[in-house]
């Protein structure tokens, strides 16, 4: 096998490999984050989306495993942003992405003011897309609200920041969100969050499978791969070249990682499959990706990134 260069970059931050954990996956507590720091073939660490105040999240059951993926209604359980801001300033093993979320635009501004005033020089990611907070819509489905919050942020925020998006399903919506995002100096977009407000039915019990919101929850895993790939591709075709893309959604094999990169992803994050398989998944995915690159004679990610062909 020829030597592969799996290095990649988001803004000024260099990563040894393209794989990340999806925010929310094994990244809420100090112990979980320490496990990620020790995980081979994980290029960087994304923290659980942090809010102004700590949150317990939604009632259990709030995650349900399916043969074809998962449904979750976690509701942003997290230790509050000061914990994660402190963590990213101390973490030395791998580059970090500090994920933050707000229950309101004012919350977001307050959190980001502290990030701005801190010594943290790494990447931040604003989660505009959690579908599971009771009574709160997904901000990035409201293009006017998204523009307004970004305008407020870039009045004072000068550090590298990207956004986490929900999946879009109409080409007009890709045009609209790209037109908003292209007006701001974003480092990256992370696409997609879970496919919001799916419903899984247990026909034996004649019941839903998660507690909050009457069982409506975010879908992840294999079943959302085509949606995730479509979002990576459609955004890569529309966003300014200097906005990088983290592809998230549906990865179970190295071929799926390859497909995300072929659609234009600079990095690829893994969620449901980590829960199913454990942190060893990153070794397997890396090996499978390298095997595909070997078969095709590719030696770096740049050899095929964004080079998906049309018929
Ligand atoms: C959650 O905590 O509900 C999942 C995270 C997200 O969808 O942003």
């Amino acid at each position: 096998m020829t030597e592969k260069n799996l290095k990649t970059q988001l803004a000024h931050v260099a990563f040894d490999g393209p794989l990340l954990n999806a925010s929310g996956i094994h990244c809420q507590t100090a112990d979980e984050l320490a496990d990620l720091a020790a995980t081979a073939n994980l290029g960087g660490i994304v923290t659980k989306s942090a809010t102004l105040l700590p949150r317990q999240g939604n009632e259990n059951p709030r995650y349900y495993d399916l043969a074809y993926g998962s449904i979750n209604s976690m509701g942003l359980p997290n230790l509050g942003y000061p914990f994660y801001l402190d963590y990213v300033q101390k973490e030395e093993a791998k580059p970090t992405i500090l994920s933050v979320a707000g229950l309101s635009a004012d919350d977001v501004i307050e959190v980001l003011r502290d990030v701005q005033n801190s010594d943290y020089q790494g990447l931040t990611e604003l989660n505009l897309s959690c579908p599971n907070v009771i009574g709160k819509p997904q901000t990035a489905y409201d293009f006017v609200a998204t523009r307004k919050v970004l305008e407020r942020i870039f009045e004072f925020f000068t550090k590298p920041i990207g956004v986490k998006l929900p999946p879009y399903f109409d080409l007009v919506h890709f045009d609209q969100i790209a037109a908003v995002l292209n007006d701001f100096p974003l480092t990256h977009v992370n696409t997609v969050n879970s496919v919001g407000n799916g419903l899984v039915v247990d026909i034996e019990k004649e019941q839903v499978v998660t507690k909050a919101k009457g069982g409506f929850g975010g879908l992840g895993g294999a079943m959302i791969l085509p949606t995730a790939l479509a979002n990576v591709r459609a955004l890569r075709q529309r966003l300014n070249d200097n906005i990088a893309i983290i592809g998230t959604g549906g990865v179970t094999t190295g071929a799926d990682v390859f497909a995300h990169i072929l659609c234009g992803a600079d990095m690829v994050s893994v969620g449901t499959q980590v829960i199913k398989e454990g942190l060893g998944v990153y070794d397997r995915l890396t090996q499978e990706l390298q095997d595909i690159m070997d078969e095709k004679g590719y030696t770096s990610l740049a050899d095929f990134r964004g080079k998906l062909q049309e018929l």
Side-chain angles (χ1 to χ4, degrees):
M1 187 186 285
T2 28
E3 185 76 5
K4 302 290 176 301
N5 173 8
L6 299 183
K7 288 185 192 306
T8 188
Q9 185 109 9
L10 294 182
H12 68 294
V13 182
F15 296 80
D16 285 342
L19 298 178
L20 298 167
N21 62 298
S23 175
I25 305 300
H26 210 94
C27 58
Q28 191 179 324
T29 65
D31 284 351
E32 288 175 344
L33 289 161
D35 289 344
L36 294 182
T39 297
N41 288 308
L42 179 69
I45 297 170
V46 188
T47 63
K48 174 66 188 171
S49 293
T51 48
L52 186 60
L53 300 173
R55 286 175 56 82
Q56 293 290 328
N58 293 342
E59 269 186 84
N60 285 316
R62 57 190 188 179
Y63 180 89
Y64 190 85
D65 192 55
L66 298 159
Y68 48 94
S70 66
I71 184 167
N72 89 84
S73 184
M74 300 302 290
L76 292 178
N78 76 92
L79 303 176
Y81 83 93
F83 168 81
Y84 301 97
L85 181 53
D86 184 55
Y87 162 75
V88 291
Q89 289 177 88
K90 291 185 178 145
E91 178 55 60
E92 287 175 349
K94 296 179 196 288
T96 53
I97 300 178
L98 173 69
S99 175
V100 300
L103 302 191
S104 69
D106 287 347
D107 278 14
V108 166
I109 298 299
E110 194 171 336
V111 170
L112 289 180
R113 277 198 195 282
D114 264 9
V115 178
Q116 174 68 27
N117 293 334
S118 74
D119 290 333
Y120 181 55
Q121 300 302 331
L123 294 157
T124 296
E125 186 174 281
L126 174 60
N127 181 353
L128 294 173
S129 51
C130 179
N132 303 326
V133 178
I134 296 164
K136 301 286 177 189
Q138 290 162 270
T139 305
Y141 282 138
D142 179 338
F143 304 113
V144 174
T146 299
R147 179 177 289 282
K148 275 193 192 145
V149 74
L150 291 175
E151 278 170 355
R152 287 183 68 187
I153 289 167
F154 285 108
E155 276 171 17
F156 68 90
F157 201 81
T158 58
K159 293 183 171 178
I161 187 167
V163 289
K164 175 92 176 260
L165 298 174
Y168 298 97
F169 301 95
D170 192 293
L171 295 184
V172 168
H173 292 160
F174 290 123
D175 293 341
Q176 289 174 326
I177 190 65
V180 172
L181 300 177
N182 281 337
D183 283 344
F184 298 94
L186 292 163
T187 52
H188 70 279
V189 301
N190 188 334
T191 180
V192 296
N193 207 320
S194 58
V195 176
N197 298 304
L199 192 69
V200 171
V201 173
D202 179 333
I203 55 154
E204 205 172 302
K205 294 184 180 159
E206 302 183 14
Q207 253 181 357
V208 299
V209 298
T210 52
K211 172 91 176 159
K213 291 180 67 183
F216 289 86
L219 306 176
M223 69 177 128
I224 76 161
L225 180 66
T227 298
L229 294 177
N231 276 261
V232 171
R233 172 76 162 167
L235 289 171
R236 185 65 288 154
Q237 289 172 321
R238 288 164 176 78
L239 290 175
N240 297 337
D241 288 348
N242 56 354
I243 302 179
I245 293 186
I246 300 174
T248 302
V251 169
T252 63
T253 66
D256 302 335
V257 177
F258 185 88
H260 266 274
I261 297 170
L262 200 61
C263 287
D266 297 276
M267 301 197 78
V268 178
S269 69
V270 188
T272 297
Q273 195 61 24
V274 175
I275 297 175
K276 286 177 183 284
E277 190 175 333
L279 295 171
V281 68
Y282 292 104
D283 287 339
R284 178 177 65 78
L285 295 174
T286 301
Q287 188 57 55
E288 291 172 2
L289 174 65
Q290 287 183 317
D291 288 347
I292 293 168
M293 290 172 66
D294 211 42
E295 273 166 34
K296 290 173 177 280
Y298 295 144
T299 54
S300 77
L301 303 181
D303 289 345
F304 58 96
R305 180 181 291 127
K307 295 191 176 164
L308 181 67
Q309 295 175 46
E310 292 184 17
L311 297 178

